[in-house]
Amino acid sequence: MTSARDREHRRGSKKESRAMAAEPLGLPGAREDGGERPSLAASPEPRSARVSRALVRFGVVGVLLLTTLLYLPSLRGGYMADDWFHLVALSQLKEIFTDELNLFTLVNSGDQVVAFKHFGLMPWWTSEEMRIAFYRPIPSILYWAEHRLFGPSPAVAHLIGIGWYVFSVYLVSRVLARFFPERSAMHVLAVLIFALDDAHALNIAWIANRNETIGGSLVLLSLLAWLRYREGRGRYHAPLVALAYVGALLSKESALVLPVFVVAHALVFPAREGEPLPAQPAPPGAPPASSTMPSLWSRLRPHLGLILTLGAISVAFIGLYFGFGHGANSVYYINPLRNPELWAEHFFRSGFYHAVILATGVPLHVLSSTPVHDYPLAALALGAVTLGFWLLAYRWLRSDRPLRFFLLTMLAGQAIVTTSFPDPRNLFLPSIGFAYVVTRVVEEALRRAHAAVPGAPRSAPEARQIRGVRAVLGTMVALHLVLAPVLCQVCVYVVNSFEGRYQTLKESLQAEVDYARLPPDGMQVFFLNWHQREMTAVYGLYLREVLPTGVDDYTPWTENPRLSYVDKLYQGLGAERIHYYSLSFVHGDVEATVIGDRTIELQPKQGHFFPTLFEQLYTTDDAFQVGQTFDTGRFKATIVETGEDGTVKRVRFTFPEPLTSPRYRFLVYDGTRFVRAQLAAPAHASR
């Protein structure tokens, strides 16, 4: 099939007005091996970018193989963070899964928060209004089946995660094929840019976050069914759009953007290739050609039934989702219904971070919680690259109709992900459109370079233009084909290194606690600081799995149908003879001052308490006040001093037993391991 762009080039200027009046959809009909760009593309594709159909297929297969190889190092990684909660739910507290076929509800009531704080599974500063209660039954069922078939095997889990990602890359190739000319090398490049995008790395390396890839794959299946329906491939594709959409919603909440994708496509591409546009009456005195330009309503009307169906599914899902108590609420996971002011405050902030992540691959916010303030030069440079890229894309591609479609999908994705913290994990769907935009910029740069006559004399402006084009090509290659896969490996390495950090924690405790002789009335371990904030989430569940708890059989509580979930927590966890509590997540030195035989005060030597999103995960943006007290049932924490900006500077901890009690262990990280903190008056440094 000849591409729409090539046909337009052959028509010439005599038929330009007719082509503008009957602009095609940009779809390749029934072809599966390539797509077609709309007629408004700036110019014909360079011949060097046209390859055989078999070579395009070989290129896509090559990308899938490269993607697999890129992430094979993650097989060496283990479990981290939420993975341990899923393991406990599948092996001990099975009703977490069986009640709703869902593993993604960590806490959905104030009673659960109180219980988790009592046993150290959440820190003392956790707000009782904090919620993490997502509803994702499809990935949950898949995790359960995997656990039943293979047991707790992180290597198998990582391999399955790689498989899901490779499958999603294949679906992206099928979607993008409809927006590039048939037999286009640019199609392969777009798929490669998506596959190498480091924003996806944590979705593959972190087992518990596989739901992002599963949900994204189902969104792609729904979108692909819609595109085939628009191509006239059969009416059965219309119900497939709705069915896949339901599956996507039951995998990840961000799938709510799918109806926006459908509406955007219907608006931007109002007719299928070779069909006339929906006509509307021309205004009196208007040129005849304007009678073929459709209104927004006439573009949506042919698909109104399907669009309304998707809308009804969305409304029903949102109503049932929140009606049954699902959803999150914290500074980390912002709920726009519970905290609209905080959501609005973070909308543009996270939008800036997400734009930088897509354009440069650099997750700027991981440098600090306030990177623009702390690293102004880096933020300025990355922001300038991001702004420059989009200005260039607008200048070169403003007539590119698929760009308008993908821009709408990216904006829709941004509106969803700002309900959470700025994070590359949530950019799976927006990165599809971004891969298209990057590829089109590269293609346009190649076209401009191809247009230059080798050896011909050039004026100074022409020479500058050629240098600029080469700079664009070099930057795109460096960022998306060199830096991106390197950052993917960095992410995999960091996740794999959690095994070593967990091992440090485990070995330190084994050296400081005699697990063979735990006191009959129990022991409590208190951490004054931490060596890695990222591993603070549910670290207590990890310790329960790898170190003795004093309980060999939990079934009398976990399988007792007369006990509620909270009662099982109190009786099952209460029977354990050791529990762990973080007095801070401070990453560095803390000053510990003994106030009395049962009281100490902690103060970071640099900075303050709760400086990062890892601490704020447990808060709901309520300001801390001097004199405010948190009672966990095992100790009390009282805010003693705050800064002018409201940051917490000093906290007093009061314990029911003397600090010298044999049931207590106070540990501090000394730079290499956790060691016993020497608590004695007068005030002294803990390290």
Side-chain angles (χ1 to χ4, degrees), residues 352-572:
F352 167 72
Y353 289 141
H354 290 144
V356 169
I357 292 168
L358 285 173
T360 68
V362 180
L364 180 62
H365 70 283
V366 303
L367 298 176
S368 76
S369 58
T370 55
V372 176
H373 177 270
D374 298 337
Y375 302 93
L377 293 181
L380 180 63
L382 294 172
V385 171
T386 302
L387 180 61
F389 171 81
W390 282 111
L391 289 176
L392 180 65
Y394 172 77
R395 180 181 176 185
W396 282 2
L397 308 175
R398 57 182 177 270
S399 296
D400 188 275
R401 192 164 289 270
L403 175 64
R404 304 172 193 176
F405 164 67
F406 282 117
L407 186 59
L408 289 173
T409 65
M410 294 167 67
L411 291 174
Q414 167 62 21
I416 293 293
V417 299
T418 49
T419 61
S420 184
F421 55 96
D423 196 305
R425 295 180 299 161
N426 296 319
L427 293 177
F428 181 92
L429 293 175
S431 65
I432 300 170
F434 189 77
Y436 173 85
V437 178
V438 172
T439 304
R440 284 288 290 118
V441 168
V442 170
E443 183 181 22
E444 181 63 17
L446 288 172
R447 186 195 69 80
R448 291 168 182 259
H450 182 74
V453 180
R458 298 170 184 165
S459 64
E462 289 174 337
R464 285 196 298 270
Q465 180 178 352
I466 293 299
R467 288 196 296 270
V469 167
R470 291 173 179 172
V472 169
L473 286 172
T475 301
M476 295 297 99
V477 170
L479 288 177
H480 302 289
L481 300 181
V482 178
L483 179 62
V486 170
L487 291 177
C488 287
Q489 293 304 298
V490 170
C491 178
V492 171
Y493 171 80
V494 170
V495 173
N496 288 354
S497 67
F498 269 69
E499 284 289 300
R501 296 179 184 130
Y502 281 127
Q503 191 67 21
T504 297
L505 178 60
K506 175 184 175 182
E507 292 175 353
S508 299
L509 287 168
Q510 288 175 318
E512 299 294 340
V513 176
D514 186 356
Y515 281 90
R517 296 180 178 83
L518 292 174
D521 50 353
M523 175 176 285
Q524 297 167 32
V525 178
F526 303 97
F527 299 101
L528 274 59
N529 64 350
W530 267 95
H531 66 315
Q532 186 69 33
R533 282 190 175 99
E534 289 88 340
M535 66 168 293
T536 54
V538 299
Y539 73 89
L541 293 180
Y542 159 77
L543 293 175
R544 290 181 68 254
E545 289 289 305
V546 300
L547 291 173
T549 65
V551 178
D552 296 326
D553 183 11
Y554 289 88
T555 55
W557 303 286
T558 58
E559 297 184 5
N560 186 344
R562 293 190 295 260
L563 296 178
S564 68
Y565 174 59
V566 173
D567 289 336
K568 291 178 180 180
L569 291 176
Y570 276 104
Q571 295 195 27

Side-chain angles (χ1 to χ4, degrees), residues 164-165 167-168 171 212-222 428:
W164 270 104
Y165 184 61
F167 176 59
S168 73
L171 293 177
E212 184 73 46
T213 311
I214 296 173
S217 296
L218 290 171
V219 168
L220 285 166
L221 282 173
S222 183
F428 181 92

Side-chain angles (χ1 to χ4, degrees), residues 528 589-595 600-603 605 659 666 668 676-687:
L528 274 59
D589 295 341
V590 292
E591 186 174 287
T593 304
V594 176
I595 305 301
I600 63 172
E601 288 185 358
L602 286 185
Q603 181 175 3
K605 289 188 176 181
L659 301 177
F666 294 90
V668 62
R676 188 84 63 93
Q678 302 300 320
L679 300 178
H684 65 283
S686 63
R687 284 173 53 186

Side-chain angles (χ1 to χ4, degrees), residues 140 148 223 328 473 524:
S140 298
R148 291 293 299 270
L223 178 59
L473 286 172
Q524 297 167 32

